Amino acid sequence: MGKKRRREVERPTIPKNKYSENPPDFALLASLYPSFEPFVFYSRDGRPRIHWTDFNATRELTRVLLLHDHGINWWIPDGQLCPTVPNRSNYIHWIEDLLSSDIISQTCNNGDNVRGFDIGTGANCIYPILGASLLGWSFIGSDVTDIALEWAEKNVTNNPHISELIEIRKVESCPTSGVESDNGESACGESNLDLNGVEEQAVPSSSSPFDLSIDANNIYHGPPVLHGVVRDGEKFDFCMCNPPFFETMEEAGLNPKTSCGGTPKEMVCPGGEKAFISRIIEDSVALKQTFKYNPSLTHLLPSLFS
Ligand SMILES: C[S@@+](CC[C@H](N)C(=O)[O-])C[C@H]1O[C@@H](n2cnc3c(N)ncnc32)[C@H](O)[C@@H]1O
């Protein structure tokens, strides 16, 4: 598959997404934003392009797109995971469609204000920013790393027009008020992961209530995900997640065709996304009425239920 074809495949598919029919116009953005201009070059067919392997180029594209299309002031430090705005917008519109469909029962009524929980919001805080900016949704964005929490907070406070809608919440490795799950485990009791993705001492956990086929190596042993992070009585229309995908950084193999950053702390958890999403499912069952809907990004949906 050639380069041109690959980028076409990546084009967002949800019609509400403004980029589905009108992908970002690099020439226009370069003419309007001098900081973006040096990253744009013209291929033989005369099309404006950027080098997707240049982190500075992809970060600057995200910065100017958020500014141009959303009036958002945004930045992330070198190497942090850099989101593509068109694709991340797709996820938000997909949830919008699901919430307004018959698939979701209208049981959790927060009035007009849709409230979401973004697990692992990252330094980029992209989903709360897009959800608040595009649709006026309010969000809790959680994360575990200091750098993510610091920059997510900056990306919120630098945008007073949406800052009231977004709260950034630190996930404590072991909250002092750890609640017990239905199976009697502390919400953090089994956590033995140092945040470099190194499992210090694997302690087998009990199996999932869904009887997911997860062997001992695929059980999530990290910090709390929902249970122990969501507070008593809180209600959300949905929770969402772009999980740490990979079991190791080698597996991540960072696509040589793009450079969107991503540190081990952002990308890796023992058991990979299967283990992480399984924990989200377990926590959601334990928290019962807290969430109306729990969509998560995954490319492993069949294996989750195999
Ligand atoms: C793949 S990144 C996603 C970042 C951002 N949401 C995005 O889509 O670009 C995964 C994030 O999950 C965070 N994370 C890992 N374990 C977590 C946990 N138990 N609770 C909350 N966040 C966690 C990581 O620090 C990282 O920022």
Side-chain angles (χ1 to χ4, degrees):
M1 186 184 291
K3 255 187 188 164
K4 182 176 159 200
R5 175 102 180 105
R6 186 162 41 247
R7 296 237 66 82
E8 282 170 3
V9 168
E10 285 172 8
R11 191 174 288 181
T13 49
I14 304 238
K16 276 180 188 157
N17 188 333
K18 67 175 289 181
Y19 304 106
S20 64
E21 292 302 322
N22 299 295
D25 182 338
F26 294 167
L28 175 70
L29 293 170
S31 71
L32 293 174
Y33 301 96
S35 58
F36 183 56
E37 198 269 333
F39 297 109
V40 177
F41 66 96
Y42 288 83
S43 55
R44 270 191 235 139
D45 62 5
R47 291 189 189 199
R49 300 192 181 281
I50 65 167
H51 288 295
W52 292 97
T53 48
D54 179 353
F55 176 80
N56 289 319
T58 57
R59 176 173 56 183
E60 191 58 19
L61 172 62
T62 295
R63 189 188 78 77
V64 296
L65 269 184
L66 286 172
L67 186 58
H68 188 71
D69 289 334
H70 301 275
I72 295 287
N73 295 303
W74 177 92
W75 193 245
I76 50 170
D78 289 355
Q80 295 291 301
L81 185 61
C82 181
T84 53
V85 177
N87 284 348
R88 297 301 205 278
S89 305
N90 229 30
Y91 191 5
I92 293 291
H93 287 303
W94 179 58
I95 294 172
E96 181 190 15
D97 282 352
L98 282 169
L99 289 176
S100 62
S101 75
D102 295 337
I103 299 169
I104 311 294
S105 64
Q106 306 295 313
T107 49
C108 163
N109 192 344
N110 298 322
D112 288 337
N113 188 16
V114 171
R115 190 158 186 249
F117 193 106
D118 180 27
I119 303 167
T121 200
N124 61 55
C125 195
I126 191 69
Y127 292 124
I129 283 174
L130 286 176
S133 162
L134 284 166
L135 299 163
W137 291 351
S138 64
F139 271 89
I140 305 279
S142 71
D143 214 289
V144 288
T145 72
D146 288 342
I147 195 157
L149 293 161
E150 178 191 342
W151 280 89
E153 194 68 57
K154 280 184 187 165
N155 282 321
V156 172
T157 52
N158 287 340
N159 294 288
H161 59 299
I162 55 166
S163 60
E164 293 290 304
L165 294 172
I166 303 171
E167 176 192 329
I168 303 302
R169 187 172 294 176
K170 180 178 170 62
V171 175
E172 302 288 350
S173 295
C174 187
T176 47
S177 58
V179 278
E180 289 212 333
S181 65
D182 282 357
N183 58 23
E185 286 174 337
S186 156
C188 67
E190 68 275 51
S191 172
N192 56 356
L193 172 74
D194 95 9
L195 289 175
N196 292 314
V198 176
E199 205 171 336
E200 292 168 351
Q201 198 182 21
V203 176
S205 170
S206 62
S207 61
S208 154
F210 285 116
D211 194 26
L212 299 170
S213 301
I214 301 169
D215 63 29
N217 293 326
N218 273 344
I219 292 170
Y220 176 78
H221 293 295
V225 173
L226 287 171
H227 207 172
V229 184
V230 170
R231 295 177 185 150
D232 281 354
E234 283 188 315
K235 293 244 185 286
F236 298 90
D237 294 277
F238 64 91
C239 85
M240 65 189 306
C241 182
N242 181 11
F245 282 78
F246 303 107
E247 297 202 56
T248 63
M249 216 46 194
E250 291 69 42
E251 188 197 323
L254 295 174
N255 183 350
K257 297 272 197 270
T258 61
S259 179
C260 293
T263 61
K265 290 176 184 176
E266 290 173 298
M267 310 297 280
V268 171
C269 86
E273 63 177 332
K274 181 174 178 179
F276 199 85
I277 294 172
S278 299
R279 174 51 58 91
I280 296 176
I281 294 170
E282 289 179 353
D283 282 7
S284 304
V285 171
L287 290 165
K288 293 192 179 79
Q289 305 300 325
T290 303
F291 298 99
K292 218 183 339 179
Y293 190 61
N294 299 26
S296 178
L297 283 186
T298 178
H299 60 283
L300 286 177
L301 196 57
S303 70
L304 268 176
F305 297 98
S306 63

